[in-house]
C-alpha cells in the first residue's frame, strides 16, 4: 500500500520547510506593516455637535458650549480645572469620579456633560462651602464628613478619598448610616485599593452622629452604580 508521500507526489525536506516558513512569515509581516501604515493615516473622528448647557457649579452659574460626546468628568477636570474629581476606571466601577447632581451621587465618567442642563452640580471643591451654607460646617470650615475622614485617618494614598467623601455625604443624607453594615453596603460602589475600609466606615459613622441625619430615603448606592442623574432616573426606569 502506497504511503501518503507516494500518493501526493510530495517529498518533504528540511530546506523546503524552512523556505516555506520564511516566505509565510515575510508575507504576514508585510501585511502587518501595510495595516499599520493605513491606521496611521486614518484621520481622527470629527468632533460631536456642540450643545449649550446651563447649570450651577458649586454655587456659580455656568453656560457652556460642550461637545455632545463629552462626559461630565472630562468637563469638570479639563474644562473647569476641578481636578478633585478623579479619573479611575472610566467604566463606572470604582466611584472615584463621584459628584452630586441635584443632591444625588452620580458617576462623572458615565454622565454626559449635556445631562448637566438645569442641574445643580457640587464637586469635592464645593463641599465645604455647601456645609457652611447649611450651617453644619466644622470649626475648621470643613464638611463634617471631611473632618471625620481626617480624624479617623480614612485614607492612605488619598486618590479615592474625594469620591468616598461625596458618596458618604449622600449616604448619610439619605438615612443609610444607621449601622456599620449599612454603611458598608451603601458605600460598596466606592473602591479603595489601599483597603482603608474600616477607617472609612468609622468616619461615616462619626459624621452621621455629628450631623444627626434622620432622613429616610434610598438609592444612593443604586444611583451610584447606574450613574444616572436624578432628573433622568424616571425616564430610565
Amino acid at each position: 500500500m502506497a504511503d501518503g508521500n507516494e500518493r501526493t507526489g510530495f517529498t518533504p525536506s528540511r530546506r523546503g520547510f524552512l523556505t516555506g516558513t520564511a516566505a509565510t512569515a515575510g508575507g504576514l509581516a508585510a501585511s502587518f506593516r501595510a495595516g499599520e501604515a493605513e491606521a496611521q493615516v486614518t484621520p481622527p473622528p470629527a468632533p460631536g455637535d456642540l450643545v449649550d448647557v446651563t447649570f450651577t457649579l458649586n454655587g456659580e452659574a455656568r453656560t457652556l458650549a460642550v461637545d455632545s460626546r463629552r462626559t461630565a468628568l472630562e468637563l469638570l477636570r479639563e474644562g473647569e480645572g476641578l481636578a478633585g474629581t478623579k479619573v479611575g476606571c472610566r467604566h463606572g466601577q470604582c466611584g472615584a469620579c463621584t459628584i452630586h447632581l441635584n443632591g444625588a451621587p452620580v458617576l462623572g465618567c458615565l454622565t454626559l456633560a449635556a445631562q448637566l442642563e438645569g442641574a445643580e452640580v457640587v464637586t469635592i471643591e464645593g463641599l465645604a462651602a455647601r456645609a457652611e451654607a447649611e450651617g453644619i460646617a466644622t470649626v475648621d470650615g470643613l464638611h463634617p464628613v471631611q473632618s471625620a475622614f481626617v480624624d479617623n485617618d480614612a485614607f492612605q494614598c488619598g486618590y479615592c478619598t474625594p469620591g468616598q467623601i461625596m458618596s458618604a455625604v449622600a449616604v448619610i443624607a439619605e438615612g443609610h448610616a444607621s449601622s456599620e453594615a449599612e454603611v458598608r453596603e451603601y458605600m460598596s460602589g466606592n473602591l479603595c485599593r489601599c483597603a482603608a475600609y474600616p477607617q472609612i466606615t468609622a468616619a461615616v459613622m462619626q459624621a452621621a452622629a455629628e450631623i444627626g441625619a434622620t432622613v429616610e430615603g434610598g438609592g444612593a448606592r443604586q444611583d451610584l452604580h447606574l450613574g444616572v442623574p436624578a432628573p433622568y432616573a424616571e425616564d430610565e426606569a
Side-chain angles (χ1 to χ4, degrees):
M1 181 177 179
D3 58 22
N5 293 337
E6 292 177 351
R7 287 198 302 270
T8 60
F10 171 71
T11 302
S13 67
R14 182 171 179 274
R15 180 184 298 276
F17 173 77
L18 293 176
T19 301
T21 301
T24 301
L28 289 174
S31 177
F32 176 78
R33 286 193 297 270
E36 187 179 44
E38 182 179 350
Q40 290 175 349
V41 299
T42 302
D49 295 332
L50 294 180
V51 294
D52 290 331
V53 180
T54 300
F55 60 100
T56 302
L57 176 59
N58 294 331
E60 298 182 1
R62 289 283 194 279
T63 297
L64 305 172
V66 301
D67 189 319
S68 59
R69 304 169 305 172
R70 201 175 197 187
T71 66
L73 173 61
E74 294 167 339
L75 175 64
L76 292 172
R77 288 180 59 86
E78 301 166 11
E80 295 299 306
L82 299 175
T85 304
K86 301 303 182 184
V87 179
C89 63
R90 291 187 182 272
H91 294 287
Q93 298 183 19
C94 72
C97 62
T98 303
I99 58 175
H100 288 179
L101 231 60
N102 297 330
V106 299
L107 299 171
C109 71
L110 297 185
T111 304
L112 290 174
Q115 290 178 282
L116 304 184
E117 173 63 32
E120 182 180 9
V121 181
V122 177
T123 68
I124 189 67
E125 290 89 348
L127 194 60
R130 172 55 62 89
E132 188 72 32
E134 295 176 352
I136 60 172
T138 66
V139 294
D140 297 324
L142 299 175
H143 190 285
V145 174
Q146 292 174 303
S147 182
F149 266 64
V150 175
D151 293 343
N152 290 274
D153 293 327
F155 47 82
Q156 289 187 37
C157 76
Y159 194 82
C160 73
T161 304
Q164 298 277 1
I165 290 175
M166 296 303 288
S167 290
V169 171
V171 166
I172 293 171
E174 293 179 353
H176 293 300
S178 61
S179 67
E180 291 188 359
E182 188 174 36
V183 168
R184 288 193 294 269
E185 173 69 11
Y186 278 88
M187 290 289 292
S188 62
N190 290 77
L191 304 183
C192 173
R193 295 188 64 181
C194 300
Y197 297 115
Q199 297 95 315
I200 291 171
T201 302
V204 177
M205 293 295 292
Q206 174 184 317
E210 293 175 353
I211 295 173
T214 59
V215 177
E216 292 297 331
R221 183 184 59 127
Q222 64 188 21
D223 286 346
L224 181 62
H225 285 297
L226 290 173
V228 178
Y232 304 92
E234 294 183 0
D235 296 337
E236 294 292 329

